[in-house]
Amino acid sequence: MARGLDHIVHAVRDLEACAALYERLGFVVDARNRHDWGTHNRVVQLAGFFIELLTVAEPDKLGSDGLSQLFGAHNRDFIARHEGLSGLLLESRDAAADATLFRNAGIAASEALRFGREGRRPDGTPIRLAFSLAFARDPAGAEAAFAACQHHFPENFWNPAFQQHRNGTTGVAGVVMVAENPSDHHIFLAAFTGERELLATSNGITVQTPRGAIQVMEPSAYERHFGVAPPDLARGARLAALIFAVRDRAQVAALLAQAKIAAAERMGRIVVGPQDAMDAALVFEQS
């Protein structure tokens, strides 16, 4: 089964500063949540996709279990080096089955790992949330965590009230990873997404998932397309940009100007660069 984009992790040292940034960008940001292994997050919901703003607030809670190591320790080490987009998760209907598929393809990093937490509706009513993650590893090397994410109570998580953003964002258009040799990641992406047809061009490779595209660009192509310097690739390929689909690009430009957030027009898109978006490029394109 082909897997669409489910969420991306924006890992930072100061969670409240990151939440304030996204609010200034015109997004609705929910309340702080806590995981048993010491990470805290705040969530920005779109239709079928979310951005997990995340920090490691209680590193003493990290243990030797899979979620502590593959998610918690990964983000602790990532934040120690820099901030930015640290992980990409795809939708899963059955995380255990996806873990088996990943193992058969030679990319598995874990069995299905389940966890839960309490959430709250806008009126304060407590609700139960639970997820299972099947982690994958890119054999070509990438400084990112990859997993398939199964929502066990999706009706308790997704809320249209949290998806009405002042900037007119309607959904996710795609994510961009930067790599020295994009073709090295072809086999991994085909197995990870379940999409066998990838488009190869002089800029890199692209896989179109049921929800958003994953592009892997070489550094000069990334700089040419987005007008910002590529991330440091010393430790492997990096997730670098998140692309939003918006109803009205002019509305976004006016909102950013009012909020005094630096942005640039590039190839018909509006780009907020990593120097202004906590080591991530946040890109808005007309849907």
Side-chain angles (χ1 to χ4, degrees):
M1 182 197 80
R3 304 173 190 89
L5 306 185
D6 183 84
H7 69 280
I8 198 165
V9 179
H10 191 164
V12 297
R13 300 182 185 111
D14 186 335
L15 182 58
E16 296 310 309
C18 190
L21 166 68
Y22 275 81
E23 288 171 342
R24 290 174 61 218
L25 288 165
F27 291 104
V28 175
V29 185
D30 81 352
R32 180 179 285 241
N33 306 296
R34 294 164 174 80
H35 298 130
D36 291 342
W37 53 89
T39 52
H40 293 191
N41 73 17
R42 296 185 67 177
V43 167
V44 176
Q45 283 195 20
L46 308 178
F49 176 84
F50 67 97
I51 307 104
E52 182 175 11
L53 316 181
L54 183 126
T55 196
V56 184
E58 302 172 276
D60 55 302
K61 289 187 175 181
L62 290 170
S64 59
D65 60 283
L67 287 164
S68 286
Q69 293 302 305
L70 293 168
F71 190 80
H74 164 76
N75 282 291
R76 175 200 62 196
D77 297 344
F78 184 94
I79 293 169
R81 294 187 291 271
H82 40 62
E83 299 178 295
L85 304 176
S86 67
L88 177 64
L89 293 90
L90 305 184
E91 62 186 345
S92 173
R93 295 178 183 172
D94 185 336
D98 284 332
T100 298
L101 289 170
F102 292 164
R103 185 170 61 252
N104 292 341
I107 65 168
S110 77
E111 298 300 321
L113 305 173
R114 180 166 174 150
F115 69 98
R117 64 172 174 84
E118 185 179 274
R120 292 193 177 274
R121 299 191 188 280
D123 64 2
T125 305
I127 51 174
R128 183 64 178 165
L129 300 172
F131 310 86
S132 289
L133 304 181
F135 285 87
R137 182 173 289 112
D138 185 347
E143 196 185 5
F146 297 100
C149 176
Q150 180 182 0
H151 295 240
H152 293 292
F153 303 105
E155 69 279 5
N156 288 344
F157 181 80
W158 300 110
N159 189 327
F162 294 152
Q163 299 168 18
Q164 306 303 311
H165 304 290
R166 289 187 297 117
N167 57 24
T169 294
T170 58
V172 62
V175 299
V176 181
M177 189 164 76
V178 180
E180 295 288 359
N181 298 295
S183 61
D184 291 348
H185 305 272
H186 187 136
I187 294 173
F188 168 75
L189 282 179
F192 181 48
T193 63
E195 292 280 4
R196 299 301 173 184
E197 298 296 325
L198 277 71
L199 175 66
T201 70
S202 58
N203 295 320
I205 59 174
T206 300
V207 54
Q208 185 64 53
T209 81
R211 183 182 300 105
I214 303 172
Q215 296 175 270
V216 187
M217 292 184 171
E218 57 93 22
S220 63
Y222 175 80
E223 188 165 7
R224 187 167 62 251
H225 276 74
F226 299 104
V228 296
D232 179 9
L233 303 181
R235 299 180 64 89
R238 288 272 304 278
L239 294 168
L242 174 59
I243 306 174
F244 300 103
V246 299
R247 285 190 292 268
D248 185 346
R249 200 173 68 238
Q251 176 186 349
V252 175
L255 186 150
L256 296 178
Q258 184 177 26
K260 295 182 169 56
I261 295 175
E265 291 271 355
R266 193 77 174 185
M267 295 188 176
R269 296 162 163 164
I270 297 173
V271 180
V272 179
Q275 70 277 11
D276 298 295
M278 304 181 85
D279 278 359
L282 302 179
V283 182
F284 301 86
E285 69 175 26
Q286 192 95 19
S287 58

